[in-house]
Amino acid sequence: MPQRGSPALRRRRLGLELRRLREGLHLTGDEVSERLRWSTAKVSRIETAKTLASEVDVEVLADLYGVDESLREVLVTLRRDAARKGWWERYRGSVPDDYITLIGMEAEATVARNWEPQIVPGLLQTEDYVRSVAWANQHASQVPPSWLQDRVEIRVARQRTLLHSTDPLTHVSVLHESVLKNQYGDDPRVMRDQLVHLIEVSELEHVEMRVLPQDVPPPVSTGAFLHLTFPDFQDVVYEELLPGGRFVEDAEKVYQYERAFGYLMERALDETASQEIIKKTIKYWDR
């Protein structure tokens, strides 16, 4: 089973720590680049995690910022951890970069809050449902058919790693009632099995699932989004879009999504009532 832990997030932590050290000395990126004879773009790309600093770069920055040995060791360790490859990296050629980044960030998140107005939340999908959604979206997204199996494998691996490990992710989701009747797959059994799976996975202690009834107007007009919380890193939101996802990292904007999810939870059915409506809809697919 793939292990939890994310080189991608450690790269971001390294960048943020280097930025904090620079700003603590009231140095600008231009001043650092001038002293080290680097380009300003290099300093910026390291701090924003678009480029992984080499160990030599980290040592040079540590010297410039005058950090003590204990902090220097932390920085070097972060850099070494960030250089490791996650299990998802082998799929980089067949999925968008933003999705690869999302998987890496999920791997270190402690809580994920997911609003889904159209499809079953990704971490709760069955393999047949994943495949059916992928095929349905293939024409609109122009994804080569050869890549679809990779996307199915990724989704299954994410579930095993995040929901069925010894250190599981706490997953809280709100899905619109219409999701339960949006058919994916030619055979109704795909939907039936998917809803049965929702009942089963909702019994997990670290999974909370709510259904927003069809007769309740959604209190937010946003599309699907995933709000991730980390133990020692700022919260991040991943917003799903047709051409690829978009990350929201500004603290004020992230808080707006947090409040929006709170409103959705308030308007949704409680867990018991949500299970009941899913069970009733299972009968709809018994045909």
Side-chain angles (χ1 to χ4, degrees):
M1 179 182 292
Q3 298 298 308
R4 293 267 265 149
S6 170
L9 194 62
R10 285 167 191 154
R11 180 183 296 193
R12 287 177 178 243
R13 285 177 176 156
L14 175 61
L16 285 173
E17 185 62 23
L18 291 172
R19 177 182 173 183
R20 183 188 67 80
L21 290 168
R22 173 179 61 76
E23 292 178 341
L25 295 173
H26 305 290
L27 292 172
T28 67
D30 287 337
E31 289 170 333
V32 170
S33 63
E34 183 177 345
R35 294 188 188 189
L36 298 179
R37 296 184 180 180
W38 290 356
S39 68
T40 303
K42 177 176 179 177
V43 176
S44 174
R45 291 182 67 82
I46 288 174
E47 292 184 352
T48 57
K50 293 179 180 178
T51 294
L52 177 60
S54 68
E55 286 195 35
V56 172
D57 290 341
V58 172
E59 293 282 4
V60 167
L61 288 168
D63 288 338
L64 179 63
Y65 299 152
V67 303
D68 58 31
E69 284 304 313
S70 61
L71 180 53
R72 182 187 296 264
E73 184 176 346
V74 169
L75 293 174
V76 171
T77 300
L78 270 176
R79 194 274 163 196
R80 289 174 181 167
D81 288 345
R84 294 184 306 180
K85 298 290 186 181
W87 62 263
W88 52 87
E89 290 290 344
R90 66 178 181 271
Y91 295 104
R92 184 172 287 279
S94 55
V95 296
D97 287 344
D98 60 89
Y99 189 53
I100 289 290
T101 301
L102 170 65
I103 298 171
M105 298 190 78
E106 273 185 334
E108 288 219 8
T110 53
V111 181
R113 300 173 180 85
N114 196 179
W115 159 237
E116 280 291 353
Q118 294 181 307
I119 63 174
V120 170
L123 290 179
L124 309 183
Q125 296 175 1
T126 64
E127 188 170 341
D128 284 341
Y129 186 92
V130 173
R131 187 173 288 105
S132 298
V133 170
W135 276 109
N137 292 339
Q138 191 272 336
H139 178 72
S141 60
Q142 298 298 306
V143 174
S146 61
W147 293 1
L148 296 183
Q149 183 56 35
D150 283 354
R151 298 194 172 197
V152 173
E153 290 177 7
I154 291 171
R155 187 62 54 90
V156 172
R158 285 172 63 204
Q159 292 175 8
R160 290 174 179 167
T161 306
L162 298 172
L163 298 184
H164 302 287
S165 68
T166 55
D167 179 28
L169 172 76
T170 296
H171 189 272
V172 184
S173 61
V174 177
L175 55 149
H176 195 267
E177 183 183 353
S178 61
V179 169
L180 307 178
K181 290 189 177 181
N182 288 340
Q183 181 168 353
Y184 285 96
D186 297 330
D187 191 331
R189 284 180 296 182
V190 172
M191 293 303 302
R192 184 190 186 284
D193 292 347
Q194 174 61 73
L195 299 195
V196 169
H197 179 69
L198 287 181
I199 296 297
E200 293 172 350
V201 76
S202 69
E203 298 292 345
L204 295 173
E205 185 177 350
H206 51 278
V207 173
E208 181 177 353
M209 186 192 314
R210 305 287 189 93
V211 174
L212 184 70
Q214 217 154 6
D215 59 358
V216 176
V220 296
S221 58
T222 180
F225 67 84
L226 186 65
H227 178 280
L228 298 174
T229 298
F230 306 93
D232 53 359
F233 191 74
Q234 64 188 30
D235 291 5
V236 172
V237 167
Y238 180 75
E239 200 175 34
E240 296 185 16
L241 306 169
L242 180 61
R246 180 178 73 95
F247 286 97
V248 179
E249 300 185 66
D250 177 79
E252 185 175 343
K253 292 179 180 178
V254 169
Y255 179 63
Q256 291 175 0
Y257 281 91
E258 184 177 346
R259 290 190 62 189
F261 192 81
Y263 290 141
L264 288 164
M265 289 285 284
E266 290 174 6
R267 303 298 297 276
L269 300 172
D270 62 28
E271 289 184 273
T272 301
S274 295
Q275 283 191 340
E276 287 304 312
I277 201 168
I278 293 172
K279 289 176 181 177
K280 289 179 181 178
T281 313
I282 289 174
K283 297 177 182 178
Y284 172 83
W285 294 111
D286 279 330
R287 62 177 197 256

